[in-house]
Amino acid sequence: MTELTIQILEGLERGKVFSHLEPPFTIGREISNEIALNDESVSRYHAKVQVDNERIILTDLGSTNGTRINGHPVQLKVLKPGDQIHIGRCVLLFGSFDEIEETLGYSDGQTGIDSSGQETQKDLEINQGMVAPGSRTMNPEVNLDLFPQGCPEVPEDLKLVQRAQISDLLAFMHNRLVQLMAESHEESNAEENREVRIPWETWQRMIRTEMELAQALQKIADPE
């Protein structure tokens, strides 16, 4: 029996993990979907995931705004661990992190991030960089800058233990971003055509960091 995992990276349900999903199942706005997304830009029954010849197939069910995989519009697509599914304003990640790392070829303790979320020592052989797939800008009318005035102020009047916990959380994320940025490099042939390229492995770790942030935000907003 095939069991699948889909994680919500962006949207009102961000941070949620749908595991042990048994295909076929549907994704859409109606609560009768196995994955229900509270987003008016998502169709009532937007997409379907099923198994055919041992492959995981995603089908767009004639949705109003369409479905994208890694930024590309699709009607029918074979899913692979690590694929990002753009539905309305929501971004879904296909696969668990263990499945994604297995796809990347990590095994026998060579995984880039262990089960506790900590970086492990490994020797990454990067033969080819690639541009991070997919644009998050699904609707040009949507302002993706949540904080146009800049970084929010640091909260005051915190207890010592709260300051320490927040400091640890921010230091963890800062350290992760520093490591990820160190693995990117610039490739350009002209001053006006500058691009920063990152390896696929690094891109997947960036996505994992985004999910960890989403889960932290969800826990802070709803501790129960």
Side-chain angles (χ1 to χ4, degrees), residues 49-146:
V49 177
Q50 58 191 321
V51 177
D52 186 22
N53 196 26
E54 299 183 353
R55 301 292 181 93
I56 310 301
I57 311 295
L58 181 141
T59 305
D60 182 272
L61 299 176
S63 65
T64 301
N65 295 316
T67 301
R68 292 173 178 260
I69 304 293
N70 298 330
H72 300 280
V74 299
Q75 178 64 38
L76 195 69
K77 182 72 169 62
V78 175
L79 292 177
K80 296 181 180 179
D83 280 343
Q84 291 184 67
I85 306 167
H86 301 248
I87 293 180
R89 298 181 182 87
C90 304
V91 181
L92 290 66
L93 177 64
F94 176 68
S96 67
F97 288 116
D98 287 341
E99 292 169 337
I100 294 170
E101 290 181 343
E102 182 179 352
T103 300
L104 295 175
Y106 299 136
S107 61
D108 299 328
Q110 295 180 351
T111 177
I113 305 173
D114 63 23
S115 59
S116 66
Q118 301 298 321
E119 299 288 342
T120 56
Q121 296 297 322
K122 61 178 174 25
D123 182 16
L124 271 178
E125 296 181 357
I126 303 172
N127 297 320
Q128 181 178 3
M130 62 184 299
V131 176
S135 170
R136 294 292 171 85
T137 308
M138 304 300 296
N139 185 340
E141 297 179 358
V142 177
N143 180 12
L144 295 182
D145 189 354
L146 186 59

Side-chain angles (χ1 to χ4, degrees), residues 106-199:
Y106 299 136
S107 61
D108 299 328
Q110 295 180 351
T111 177
I113 305 173
D114 63 23
S115 59
S116 66
Q118 301 298 321
E119 299 288 342
T120 56
Q121 296 297 322
K122 61 178 174 25
D123 182 16
L124 271 178
E125 296 181 357
I126 303 172
N127 297 320
Q128 181 178 3
M130 62 184 299
V131 176
S135 170
R136 294 292 171 85
T137 308
M138 304 300 296
N139 185 340
E141 297 179 358
V142 177
N143 180 12
L144 295 182
D145 189 354
L146 186 59
F147 300 98
Q149 302 302 321
C151 183
E153 295 181 0
V154 176
E156 300 178 354
D157 299 327
L158 295 176
K159 296 179 181 179
L160 180 59
V161 64
Q162 293 173 325
R163 296 176 67 88
Q165 289 175 316
I166 291 177
S167 177
D168 284 347
L169 179 62
L170 294 177
F172 168 76
M173 294 303 176
H174 180 269
N175 182 66
R176 177 70 61 79
L177 289 173
V178 168
Q179 292 176 335
L180 295 173
M181 291 173 64
E183 296 178 11
S184 63
H185 59 280
E186 181 178 357
E187 290 188 359
S188 61
N189 297 321
E191 186 69 23
E192 65 276 7
N193 189 31
R194 303 176 67 182
E195 291 184 347
V196 174
R197 293 178 175 266
I198 61 174

